[in-house]
Amino acid sequence: SSGINAEYGGISAKCISEPTIPTPLCIASLIFCNLLMWLNFTAALQGLRTVEATACTTIVNFLCAGGAGWALFGEVLSWYWCGGIGFIVSGVLLLSLDSATGETHGKTE
């Protein structure tokens, strides 16, 4: 849920440039969403390894950002964007898997 809250913060930041929404409301929403994001991320760190929590947050944030940009602001999700997000998700998952299999490397018993 920290990735979703981070995206809500991104939407709030983008709304600052909208003339129909009061800027102080957008700034307050941005601060509130970022606070929620950090609280949720910190809670996730209590139950997951750092790499797992970061991987989940990153993937959800990027996917929600693309979906929100398309749905709310009419942004185009080109094949380049889809390919790029595929590479990002693949890279984050590979890092997460590498961390999971290599967590005993370098430790002495």
Side-chain angles (χ1 to χ4, degrees), residues 2-4 6-8 56-66 85:
S2 60
I4 294 172
E7 178 46 36
Y8 288 152
C56 291
T57 299
T58 302
I59 291 170
V60 169
N61 188 6
F62 275 105
L63 291 174
C64 289
I85 195 67

Side-chain angles (χ1 to χ4, degrees), residues 5-108:
N5 286 323
E7 178 46 36
Y8 288 152
I11 292 170
S12 299
K14 192 160 186 165
C15 287
I16 290 173
S17 64
E18 294 292 322
T20 58
I21 302 172
T23 301
L25 179 66
C26 294
I27 292 172
S29 176
L30 173 65
I31 292 169
F32 180 72
C33 289
N34 280 321
L35 177 66
L36 282 178
M37 183 266 306
W38 278 108
L39 290 173
N40 287 327
F41 185 70
T42 304
L45 289 174
Q46 301 299 319
L48 299 171
R49 292 188 337 259
T50 304
V51 173
E52 291 172 339
T54 304
C56 291
T57 299
T58 302
I59 291 170
V60 169
N61 188 6
F62 275 105
L63 291 174
C64 289
W70 173 77
L72 299 175
F73 302 106
E75 295 177 356
V76 177
L77 298 180
S78 69
W79 287 104
Y80 290 117
W81 186 90
C82 294
I85 195 67
F87 283 122
I88 290 170
V89 169
S90 299
V92 169
L93 290 175
L94 284 173
L95 286 173
S96 180
L97 291 173
D98 184 51
S99 174
T101 59
E103 67 183 37
T104 59
H105 292 293
K107 292 184 180 179
T108 57

